[in-house]
Amino acid sequence: MTLGLALAQSRRIAPALLAQLEQTAREKKSLLIDEIIASGTMSAHDIAIFAADKYQLPLLDLAQYNLARVPPALAGNREFHAHRLLPLGRRENRLIVAMSDPANQAGVDAIKQKFNLPVETVVVEHDKLVRHFRTASEALGTMKNISPTGTGATPTKMIDYDPVAAAAGARKGPGNEIDDAPVVRFLQKLLTEAFQRGASDLHFEPFEFFYRVRFRVDGVLQEVARPPLDIRDKVATRIKVLSRLDISEKRVPQDGRMKLLLTLPKDKDGKETIEKAIDFRVSTLPTLFGEKIVMRILESSSDKLDIDQLGYEPAQKAALLEVIKRPYGMVLVTGPTGSGKTVSLYTFLNLLNQGDINISTAEDPAEIQLPGINQVNVNDKAGLTFAAALKSFLRQDPDIIMVGEIRDLETADISIKAAQTGHLVLSTLHTNDAPTTLTRLMNMGVAPFNIASSVLMITAQRLARKLCTCKRVGELSRDVLLDAGFQESDIDGTWQPYHPVGCERCNGSGYKGRCGIYQVMPITEAMQQIILTHGTALQIAEQARRDGVLSLREAGLLKVKQGVTSLEEVLATTNS
């Protein structure tokens, strides 16, 4: 008895409607269960409960089942998918399979015959079964451009690795681990796709039962591929060879860098291509199941170093330009990793880069190459530390010095002395906001009078995703706006918040690109007095508010009023 007939006999579906749905399924070459669910007659959950009761089978919630634990030999066998069965594993000498239509006895018999083993079946919801089919297929790299039915979102494009081509095209001989042609093509495809999507990082992550690749796009990680687990070592070896790392050393982290020539489409049609040299910073990390590798895409051109594109408010921009044009002193940029501090510093340097000015930088490593600036990569193993580079800079007649990061007291002391002796010093620190930067320097051991006499300005920053052009106006209650930090005077009806929607351009996320949120805090005389008396970050923050300095949250709320980003994004990236 078919599932449709069983539903009709149980009066769950009218016979006339069943005949109509069967006809539709034949015309569309789809499954009857798909048409029943699409018609709204019964949900996938209701059908699963009925089927489990009718055929006296266990009911399993696939959402709670870890599909990654299925042995690869079963998960990769397409015989199951051909019969709309999902392998769940083996129990003693029996195969356990999931199905949404228990009347599909022909599929069960085919699996029994192929594996020569008894088969136990469990009932699952049809929509979850379909999603798991897709997940299993992506693990083999055979599915692309798939999204769950009914989400309305543009899917994240999955990048495929063809295991058949890998088996047939791998080169033989002692160099096989490095010169595996399919792995080379797969990696080239990944790197090209990452650059085209505007990704900042690629993550290659091995786990016990699967291997995945993720891109960080606009600050958010997106899974893009699940190649076979057995290629993880080949991918790692290929990346390490290109980065000039030790391929025999897998027990300790390694850092390297490489430059690749990628072939990119010149237009949307992809008929014309151009070649572009892209720099990548590579970091390897030994994990339980292999080496995790993170590749940072280094955009080395100076085309994007435009202060108007960074997102400063007009008053912030004016204050910043006034300070960086002073002949000496220190300007600090703070924020977490990935908040755009390096781009901000190089934007300042690009403005200051004139023929009559000598600029030197010490970085780990130099991510943006700017003609006319003397850039030095620090090398701790060789003894070229930030402090050693700074000491050398002072004998090179510099006007402006940029230090990639102040990490210790020695670097801080030399930087401050340089700022006190006629040099403009730019650097970064990892702190949460501008006021806590001053107390961080004091905690490092820098004397308060040195801080007060040298630091001119501190800017704290975050990156928030910008709303795509598909954004729409939405409603937010007064209480929500007030809780977020808006004042009563801000809720005057002259503006409306926007919400993300999702389209092909933004890959369904509702966001495209990022903008900066800044706290620009000049060091005033009142702040200097607080520093000299060993004041706290709270006292400095209160004085900054009296001086009219916007907090990060307040600067973010301005972006919400301007329609640049959403309130949810600002709340996620800033503290109140």
Side-chain angles (χ1 to χ4, degrees), residues 279-330:
D279 288 303
F280 297 89
R281 188 178 71 197
V282 179
S283 173
T284 71
L285 179 70
T287 67
L288 288 176
F289 306 106
E291 288 182 286
K292 176 185 177 182
I293 298 178
V294 175
M295 300 176 65
R296 165 68 58 87
I297 299 177
L298 304 177
E299 183 57 74
S300 58
S301 71
S302 59
D303 299 338
K304 298 181 180 180
L305 302 179
D306 184 352
I307 194 168
D308 292 323
Q309 295 181 8
L310 296 184
Y312 288 99
E313 298 300 326
Q316 293 177 333
K317 176 184 171 183
L320 187 59
L321 291 176
E322 179 187 352
V323 167
I324 64 173
K325 290 179 180 178
R326 294 188 188 180
Y328 57 88
M330 178 180 282

Side-chain angles (χ1 to χ4, degrees), residues 21 28 37 49 56 79 84 100 147 183 254 265 288 361 377 414 416 454 470 496 499 531:
L21 294 175
K28 295 171 62 177
I37 295 171
I49 292 176
Q56 294 297 295
E79 188 79 16
R84 303 188 299 280
S100 58
S147 66
V183 169
Q254 297 186 67
L288 288 176
T361 73
N377 278 335
I414 299 173
I416 284 177
S454 60
C470 63
Q496 289 181 300
H499 294 280
I531 295 168

Side-chain angles (χ1 to χ4, degrees), residues 11-12 40 45 64 130 143 284 307 355 477 497 536:
R11 298 183 179 179
R12 301 297 181 95
H45 181 67
Q64 305 300 319
V130 171
M143 299 288 284
T284 71
I307 194 168
S477 68
T536 64

Side-chain angles (χ1 to χ4, degrees), residues 368-385:
I368 299 175
Q369 298 172 12
L370 202 56
I373 293 180
N374 307 290
Q375 297 173 271
V376 175
N377 278 335
V378 301
N379 187 339
D380 291 337
K381 292 181 180 178
L384 182 56
T385 62

